[in-house]
Amino acid sequence: AQTVTQSQPEMSVQEAETVTLSCTYDTSENNYYLFWYKQPPSRQMILVIRQEAYKQQNATENRFSVNFQKAAKSFSLKISDSQLGDTAMYFCASMNRDDKIIFGKGTRLHILP
Amino acid sequence: NAGVTQTPKFQVLKTGQSMTLQCAQDMNHEYMSWYRQDPGMGLRLIHYSVGAGITDQGEVPNGYNVSRSTTEDFPLRLLSAAPSQTSVYFCASSYGRRGDSPLHFGNGTRLTVT
């Protein structure tokens, strides 16, 4: 079964600090895709970053980067130089060959001024 | 481009009533899906479709029906609403079959069943 687990329901960090959000997943497939989505208070879902499982290099998008550990089935998101606008719910998600995209329960991140 | 359009934005139903949540996309996306979002539960997949005429069940399909007669539209039907279906519903679409195609989400429908 395809599952995604986010073990941190809520986190708070000071502005400009670095924060890491954890995500583990379970899949029986060798090739799949992983995503982090952000949901600010506006409720709009925004793609933050994506990773293809067969690519060993960790994906980066400006201040956002991932630590992809395929053997451990871990896909954490690092936010550097955090900003007030990063305050949001963050969801980890996985997609297998059957095209189903399954989300974790989310981590609510507060960036404190 | 309008992207993914969901209607209505808000809806209140009484137990036992039926209704259809509408979802339309103008990006010629093959893949469309419905999620429900509940506090502490994240987004759970209800049904999805990889193309016109093809639908499949997600994680929580019971109580919901879908059809995909055109590429653009993917309505979600509640046959007999129950309080447990009170939630925020999101429709999403993508080119599918390609992991580099991100999901585009609608703005959501807040449904309350009393």
Side-chain angles (χ1 to χ4, degrees):
Chain A
Q2 184 183 357
T3 61
V4 177
T5 302
Q6 294 178 250
S7 59
Q8 305 151 310
E10 197 160 359
M11 299 180 71
S12 297
V13 296
Q14 294 293 137
E15 191 177 7
E17 288 185 347
T18 294
V19 60
T20 299
L21 281 58
S22 301
C23 173
T24 58
Y25 60 91
D26 192 16
T27 178
S28 57
E29 298 190 8
N30 192 45
N31 194 20
Y32 46 89
Y33 299 90
L34 299 166
F35 309 89
W36 278 98
Y37 279 85
K38 169 184 177 181
Q39 187 182 42
S42 67
R43 210 169 70 187
Q44 183 64 37
M45 294 288 288
I46 303 164
L47 177 68
V48 175
I49 201 166
R50 56 182 169 238
Q51 174 84 40
E52 297 175 77
Y54 71 87
K55 288 187 177 179
Q56 294 187 345
Q57 186 173 6
N58 289 326
T60 62
E61 288 288 341
N62 300 316
R63 297 182 295 107
F64 299 87
S65 61
V66 298
N67 182 6
F68 174 47
Q69 303 286 332
K70 190 172 184 178
K73 296 183 178 176
S74 171
F75 183 61
S76 60
L77 174 69
K78 185 171 82 170
I79 306 174
S80 303
D81 186 25
S82 57
Q83 301 174 357
L84 297 178
D86 296 333
T87 291
M89 281 288 289
Y90 287 81
F91 294 99
C92 180
S94 74
M95 183 178 82
N96 288 351
R97 204 180 340 177
D98 62 3
D99 293 327
K100 282 196 297 189
I101 300 178
I102 301 298
F103 286 80
K105 293 183 178 181
T107 296
R108 186 175 299 280
L109 178 63
H110 302 275
I111 307 299
L112 307 173
Chain B
N1 281 346
V4 179
T5 303
Q6 284 184 242
T7 55
K9 288 186 169 60
F10 302 94
Q11 184 70 50
V12 179
L13 290 178
K14 293 185 177 178
T15 297
Q17 287 185 318
S18 63
M19 79 158 296
T20 299
L21 305 185
Q22 301 291 345
C23 176
Q25 51 89 11
D26 61 358
M27 298 170 282
N28 202 31
H29 283 170
E30 295 175 351
Y31 180 92
M32 295 187 75
S33 54
W34 277 101
Y35 292 87
R36 59 177 290 174
Q37 183 176 16
D38 303 291
M41 298 299 293
L43 279 81
R44 291 182 291 173
L45 181 64
I46 304 171
H47 286 285
Y48 68 106
S49 168
V50 298
I54 305 169
T55 63
D56 209 342
Q57 295 182 347
E59 302 169 277
V60 288
N62 292 341
Y64 307 94
N65 277 358
V66 293
S67 59
R68 185 91 181 271
S69 56
T70 66
T71 300
E72 295 78 20
D73 300 298
F74 191 46
L76 178 72
R77 297 183 186 84
L78 281 70
L79 302 176
S80 178
S84 62
Q85 293 178 307
T86 293
S87 187
V88 177
Y89 291 84
F90 285 96
C91 179
S93 71
S94 76
Y95 286 110
R97 307 274 176 174
R98 290 164 46 190
D100 62 351
S101 171
L103 280 176
H104 294 256
F105 283 84
N107 289 329
T109 296
R110 184 176 292 278
L111 175 67
T112 302
V113 183
T114 60

